[in-house]
Amino acid sequence: MAALYGDRDAARGADATFRWLTEEVGEVARALRTGDRENLEHEFADALAWLASLANLVEVDLATAMERYRDGCPKCGATPCVCPA
Amino acid sequence: MAALYGDRDAARGADATFRWLTEEVGEVARALRTGDRENLEHEFADALAWLASLANLVEVDLATAMERYRDGCPKCGATPCVCPA
């Protein structure tokens, strides 16, 4: 994502990149309602791509960030999660 | 994510899981404005976790979905992207 879009993301800035992310999350919503499987997969990929672009822009490494979930639910510590609903 | 939350996600359903996703995207917005680095990393991880939960629930494999970006920008085909802004 950084190689593909890093320069464009930096030029656009975090606020506009966040706006694009929310637009893509909206497209996931629409695909859940109306889309076929291919469209659904497409929109999930685009939402994740924009989340990754935004993370790159503010220097968050998503793989490192996800270590939070490595040893079970970060709230209750269990796998599967046993937090109160 | 499926092992951690799959049963809870299935019981909750796609609409409520989508609502949680948008809540976490909102927390990314707040962390961009006010958060320290640790909080920012935490909120990106939670947003990605909910996106993954929702994807699992509707049987979208995010890794497969992301192949769309493997050979360059899916719109212009180039790396880096050269789409019109």
Side-chain angles (χ1 to χ4, degrees), chain B residues 50-61:
Chain B
W50 281 99
L51 187 69
S53 273
L54 185 59
N56 286 334
L57 195 50
V58 297
E59 296 179 340
V60 165
D61 184 280

Side-chain angles (χ1 to χ4, degrees), chain A:
Chain A
M1 284 302 140
L4 266 175
Y5 299 116
D7 289 347
R8 295 165 77 93
D9 294 337
R12 187 188 313 107
D15 284 349
T17 301
F18 183 86
R19 174 169 50 77
W20 270 96
L21 168 62
T22 63
E23 186 168 327
E24 292 299 338
V25 170
E27 291 182 12
V28 170
R30 187 170 51 200
L32 286 169
R33 183 168 59 86
T34 66
D36 59 17
R37 183 127 302 265
E38 189 184 351
N39 179 239
L40 198 56
E41 198 167 273
H42 169 151
E43 298 305 346
F44 269 98
D46 286 358
L48 177 50
W50 282 99
L51 187 69
S53 272
L54 185 59
N56 285 335
L57 195 50
V58 297
E59 295 179 342
V60 165
D61 184 281
L62 284 179
T64 304
M66 288 308 284
E67 288 178 9
R68 171 172 164 72
Y69 287 89
R70 190 183 47 196
D71 300 322
C73 172
K75 288 190 183 140
C76 70
T79 303
C81 165
V82 294
C83 289

Side-chain angles (χ1 to χ4, degrees), chain A residues 41-42 45-46, chain B residues 64-75:
Chain A
E41 198 167 273
H42 169 151
D46 286 358
Chain B
T64 303
M66 288 307 284
E67 288 178 9
R68 171 171 164 72
Y69 287 89
R70 191 183 46 195
D71 299 322
C73 171
K75 288 190 183 140

Side-chain angles (χ1 to χ4, degrees), chain B:
Chain B
M1 284 303 140
L4 266 175
Y5 299 117
D7 289 347
R8 296 165 75 94
D9 293 339
R12 188 189 311 107
D15 283 349
T17 301
F18 183 86
R19 175 169 50 77
W20 271 95
L21 168 61
T22 62
E23 186 168 326
E24 293 299 338
V25 170
E27 292 183 11
V28 170
R30 187 168 52 200
L32 286 169
R33 184 168 59 85
T34 67
D36 59 17
R37 183 126 300 268
E38 189 185 352
N39 178 239
L40 199 56
E41 198 167 271
H42 170 149
E43 299 305 346
F44 268 99
D46 286 359
L48 177 51
W50 281 99
L51 187 69
S53 273
L54 185 59
N56 286 334
L57 195 50
V58 297
E59 296 179 340
V60 165
D61 184 280
L62 284 180
T64 303
M66 288 307 284
E67 288 178 9
R68 171 171 164 72
Y69 287 89
R70 191 183 46 195
D71 299 322
C73 171
K75 288 190 183 140
C76 70
T79 304
C81 165
V82 294
C83 289

